[in-house]
Amino acid sequence: MNEAEKLKKATYHLWTFTASKMIAMLGANVMAFGISLYILAMTGSAISFATNMICSVLPRALVAPLAGYVADNFSKKRTILIAQAGTILTVGGLLLYTETVGMSVYAIYIATVFNTICSAFSGVTFSSAIATLVNPERLQRAMSFNQMSMSVAAIGGPVVGGMMYGFFNMDVFLMVNMVAYAIAFCLEATMDFNLYSTRGEDTKKEKMWEGLKSGFHYIKQRNVIKTIMWVALWINLFFSAIAVGGTYIIIELLKIESTHFGFIEASGALGMLLASLYFATRPEVKVPLRFSKISLLLLAGSVGLAVIPLVTDFSYIAIVIFYLIIYFIFAIFEMGINMPIGVYMQKIIAEEYRGRVFGLMETMAMSMMPIGMVVYGMLYDTLPATIILPVTSVIIIIISLVMLRSSILKEAHPEYYEKAALPEGVANTTT
């Protein structure tokens, strides 16, 4: 295949995987919305609802390193298609059980666990495959489109699910999910996951334990990758202050109506969508780690500002508008952190290790979510939000300044800092 044909195929990949991701995520979000309402209506128990959330997080955190090993040592295309087929069969099994026995909360829990495992394998494998699907010059655009598809699904899922809930039973939600994943399966089956692969055909497969150990060793030997992973871990822990506290402050303390809170959350999804469009249309960020550090500092500052309505005499409308803007800003800065680092990681991690690195990152990030929710849940029960959010903001700023210090930025981007250090006129003579 010549270069022109590869570019044409890469363009096809760019649109195909965006469409497949959007359709699959839309189906998943519609079903998740319906299941959430069904569990609450059936049991009236917050514990039952929380149990289903745990079933959708914990298995993914546990199997992500294994999914990374599989992504690195076996066919990415086959892994993704098997995972998508597993999702279809799982939902089909739940649908069959519902038709023959009746809907059960425990059946939903089991199906959620299997869906989450399948999602881990397809998600980690897709993350490790993006750099082999498109040419390096369009890597940022591909990742932006990927995020854009998830943002559209995040906005559209609850909207479609909400319209369906009043007219259809749970069976229809399950069928929508199956159809969406079947379409995604057909689209992904046409893709060439080795288009820009740099691995040789005779690359030796490692045994599972050896493969996991070599993945850890690879990360350990690379200071910049290790630093990024630690930053991701701590940030996921401390940003639970917003994941938990945002809803608590807006609904419980400020008494904002749930409908208006829905608009506030939607403004975050809109911010992600617009930021994705921005990164898709602009040149690649030249110094991604520095860009992400600045975005992280701005996001930390925004967290501290979120308490303003608690200490001022804002009107109801002013409070809603304030949080519409804050959630929109959160999303913009979050994309400013994730997108440049994501592109940078795709480029600096060797292809044969990408799956294991992304798998371990996912495990670290997702394991911090439930811990952060528990910690901040207890904190909000004992301390005022006007103390928690400013302190959290300061902690995140300190983490940013210490872990992404100048020496790390210079190590990550030596070509930029060496050029910047040269006297004027000398830089123009270097190549």
Side-chain angles (χ1 to χ4, degrees):
M1 187 182 294
N2 60 40
E3 191 60 31
E5 291 173 331
K6 287 179 73 173
L7 287 172
K8 186 176 179 180
K9 187 69 173 178
T11 303
Y12 173 79
H13 285 163
L14 193 63
W15 295 105
T16 304
F17 91 81
T18 302
S20 70
K21 197 71 173 285
M22 187 183 300
I23 293 167
M25 290 299 296
L26 185 61
N29 287 342
V30 167
M31 190 181 81
F33 183 88
I35 283 178
S36 299
L37 293 182
Y38 178 84
I39 290 175
L40 288 174
M42 185 178 181
T43 66
S45 168
I47 294 175
S48 298
F49 181 74
T51 301
N52 194 59
M53 287 188 67
I54 292 170
C55 290
S56 66
V57 173
L58 186 58
R60 183 161 186 150
L62 293 175
V63 305
L66 176 61
Y69 163 78
V70 172
D72 286 336
N73 288 278
F74 297 92
S75 165
K76 289 180 171 59
K77 182 173 183 175
R78 190 180 299 120
T79 301
I80 290 171
L81 293 180
I82 290 173
Q84 301 287 53
T87 299
I88 296 169
L89 291 174
T90 299
V91 177
L94 182 59
L95 178 61
L96 181 62
Y97 181 88
T98 302
E99 290 294 324
T100 55
V101 179
M103 182 61 78
S104 161
V105 174
Y106 294 105
I108 291 175
Y109 293 160
I110 294 170
T112 301
V113 168
F114 280 103
N115 266 352
T116 302
I117 292 171
C118 292
S119 176
F121 278 89
S122 63
V124 170
T125 307
F126 238 129
S127 295
S128 68
I130 291 177
T132 62
L133 288 169
V134 298
N135 50 311
E137 293 76 18
R138 287 191 286 185
L139 186 55
Q140 179 171 289
R141 180 176 297 180
M143 296 191 68
S144 299
F145 279 14
N146 182 44
Q147 183 61 54
M148 198 186 310
S149 66
M150 290 190 286
S151 300
V152 171
I155 296 170
V159 173
V160 175
M163 291 189 295
M164 289 175 57
Y165 190 75
F167 299 98
F168 302 104
N169 59 25
M170 199 61 218
D171 294 0
V172 177
F173 283 85
L174 300 179
M175 285 188 281
V176 166
N177 180 274
M178 291 175 66
V179 170
Y181 272 87
I183 295 172
F185 180 95
C186 293
L187 290 172
E188 289 155 12
T190 65
M191 296 163 65
D192 179 3
F193 285 82
N194 294 314
L195 184 64
Y196 283 92
S197 176
T198 56
R199 298 182 70 175
E201 294 183 2
D202 57 346
T203 303
K204 185 180 178 182
K205 292 180 182 178
E206 298 174 292
K207 293 181 179 179
M208 186 176 73
W209 184 243
E210 291 176 355
L212 293 173
K213 282 176 63 179
S214 66
F216 277 106
H217 182 73
Y218 178 84
I219 294 168
K220 188 178 179 181
Q221 297 301 312
R222 284 152 182 84
N223 193 38
V224 174
I225 295 175
K226 187 167 59 177
T227 300
I228 290 171
M229 294 181 73
W230 277 109
V231 170
L233 183 144
W234 290 117
I235 296 309
N236 270 278
L237 174 64
F238 288 109
F239 271 110
S240 297
I242 289 297
V244 175
T247 304
Y248 174 74
I249 291 169
I250 296 170
I251 299 292
E252 293 296 323
L253 299 183
L254 297 173
K255 306 300 180 184
I256 301 300
E257 295 179 14
S258 57
T259 304
H260 296 148
F261 180 61
F263 284 116
I264 290 170
E265 289 201 315
S267 70
L270 179 62
M272 282 196 175
L273 179 60
L274 293 179
S276 300
L277 285 169
Y278 169 76
F279 281 109
T281 54
R282 63 153 288 159
E284 189 176 311
V285 177
K286 291 183 179 179
V287 193
L289 224 59
R290 188 184 66 169
F291 191 99
S292 294
K293 177 182 178 179
I294 294 169
S295 298
L296 182 55
L297 291 170
L298 292 172
L299 182 55
S302 302
V303 170
L305 295 176
V307 299
I308 288 177
L310 293 173
V311 296
T312 55
D313 189 22
F314 277 9
S315 66
Y316 182 90
I317 295 298
I319 291 172
V320 173
I321 293 173
F322 178 85
Y323 282 111
L324 281 169
I325 296 170
I326 280 289
Y327 270 61
F328 182 83
I329 290 172
F330 282 165
I332 295 288
F333 291 150
E334 186 180 340
M335 285 294 295
I337 299 166
N338 293 338
M339 189 59 61
I341 283 183
V343 175
Y344 177 72
M345 294 282 276
Q346 288 280 350
K347 289 191 170 184
I348 66 167
I349 299 171
E351 184 183 338
E352 58 268 28
Y353 288 100
R354 279 190 201 127
R356 279 164 286 182
V357 173
F358 287 127
L360 184 59
M361 279 190 73
E362 188 157 316
T363 293
M364 292 172 67
M366 298 201 77
S367 63
M368 283 296 104
M369 288 170 59
I371 295 172
M373 287 179 180
V374 170
V375 170
Y376 276 98
M378 292 189 294
L379 286 174
Y380 279 108
D381 282 340
T382 55
L383 295 172
T386 50
I387 292 177
I388 295 171
L389 287 181
V391 170
T392 299
S393 174
V394 171
I395 291 172
I396 296 170
I397 289 172
I398 292 171
I399 289 172
S400 307
L401 295 175
V402 172
M403 300 197 76
L404 295 176
R405 56 194 177 276
S406 298
S407 59
I408 294 293
L409 298 185
K410 289 177 182 177
E411 185 177 345
H413 309 293
E415 70 291 339
Y416 173 82
Y417 285 95
E418 286 172 7
K419 185 176 179 181
L422 289 173
E424 188 176 352
V426 177
N428 295 328
T429 65
T430 61
T431 58

